[in-house]
Amino acid sequence: DAGVIQSPRHEVTEMGQEVTLRCKPISGHDYLFWYRQTMMRGLELLIYFNNNVPIDDSGMPEDRFSAKMPNASFSTLKIQPSEPRDSAVYFCASSQNPQLEQFFGPGTRLTVL
Amino acid sequence: AQSVAQPEDQVNVAEGNPLTVKCTYSVSGNPYLFWYVQYPNRGLQFLLKYITGDNLVKGSYGFEAEFNKSQTSFHLKKPSALVSDSALYFCAVRDMGTGRRALTFGSGTRLQVQP
């Protein structure tokens, strides 16, 4: 298995633009997590899905952020409109069940100018 | 609510010396505990976990961690550090006393191993 795949690896955009981050979890993993990492706030959980259903989105910063998982092999995190304070590395992770470790993707480095 | 504390932002150790990276946790039920490592420009990689059983857990790359329930700690250790161990280390916890499936991560500790 190729592991968790994220795209793009780097994204530079201007304030106000829409940004879409993509994630393909490991096949057979029922849980998918989106995290954001910044120097100031560390690693924050944004949202997680179980069997494609959002379970906990309490970490989503505000209404500008939305996440979907239309099927077991694909998820998106969308920011509309983007702001400079959204600049961070966004990680996607998946796991087979909560007792087992999460496998992280390489991350998307987002820069909003 | 579950929480994790990593009291040291950075740990410096000489190559060949033992290393310890500290982690304490707070949960309402029993904890699941994890250590992850992050190398520059990479995602987090799993090192080891404690679910139940022996308090001393052995993981990847020669790392081990000791679960101490009375001190609510899960310190990461290695008998002999390598320069290649230099990275950012995260402790994480899941509280089995709640229905929450997600992990809570600590703030991370940067390990610097000097040659």
Side-chain angles (χ1 to χ4, degrees):
Chain A
D1 201 319
V4 176
I5 298 173
Q6 291 187 248
S7 65
R9 293 293 309 276
H10 301 273
E11 177 79 37
V12 180
T13 190
E14 293 187 348
M15 183 174 63
Q17 296 298 306
E18 177 180 296
V19 175
T20 300
L21 311 181
R22 297 173 176 79
C23 175
K24 176 178 168 52
I26 293 173
S27 177
H29 283 193
D30 293 333
Y31 288 83
L32 184 140
F33 305 82
W34 282 101
Y35 293 91
R36 178 171 68 177
Q37 186 178 36
T38 61
M39 289 291 291
M40 291 297 294
R41 300 174 68 90
L43 194 63
E44 304 172 277
L45 175 70
L46 299 177
I47 185 171
Y48 76 94
F49 296 82
N50 178 211
N51 292 325
N52 313 336
V53 176
I55 302 300
D56 183 352
D57 64 354
S58 59
M60 296 286 264
E62 47 198 273
D63 292 345
R64 297 184 297 106
F65 285 70
S66 62
K68 295 182 180 180
M69 192 164 186
N71 58 61
S73 60
F74 183 65
S75 177
T76 59
L77 178 67
K78 186 176 293 186
I79 308 172
Q80 165 64 15
S82 58
E83 297 183 2
R85 60 192 168 121
D86 302 331
S87 297
V89 181
Y90 291 80
F91 289 104
C92 175
S94 70
S95 72
Q96 218 165 5
N97 74 57
Q99 292 180 268
L100 299 178
E101 60 270 26
Q102 296 177 19
F103 291 83
F104 281 73
T108 296
R109 183 174 297 276
L110 173 65
T111 302
V112 183
L113 303 174
Chain B
Q2 59 194 42
S3 66
V4 175
Q6 293 182 243
E8 302 154 316
D9 289 338
Q10 181 155 326
V11 170
N12 297 309
V13 64
E15 187 174 31
N17 284 0
L19 70 87
T20 298
V21 182
K22 295 180 180 176
C23 171
T24 59
Y25 65 89
S26 175
V27 295
S28 58
N30 290 320
Y32 285 179
L33 292 155
F34 299 80
W35 275 102
Y36 286 81
V37 61
Q38 185 180 28
Y39 297 100
N41 301 313
R42 303 285 295 276
L44 277 68
Q45 297 177 32
F46 168 76
L47 275 180
L48 50 80
K49 67 183 177 190
Y50 171 83
I51 303 297
T52 187
D54 288 342
N55 290 342
L56 186 63
V57 178
K58 294 189 183 297
S60 307
Y61 313 120
F63 284 93
E64 58 188 28
E66 186 167 12
F67 172 64
N68 187 318
K69 187 171 184 178
S70 63
Q71 297 187 2
T72 61
S73 67
F74 190 56
H75 301 331
L76 181 70
K77 299 182 179 184
K78 188 173 182 181
S80 178
L82 300 172
V83 173
S84 57
D85 293 330
S86 298
L88 190 56
Y89 290 81
F90 290 93
C91 181
V93 68
R94 183 189 161 210
D95 186 350
M96 295 306 295
T98 72
R100 194 163 188 262
R101 299 286 190 265
L103 297 178
T104 297
F105 284 83
S107 55
T109 299
R110 187 165 301 282
L111 174 65
Q112 196 70 39
V113 181
Q114 279 105 18

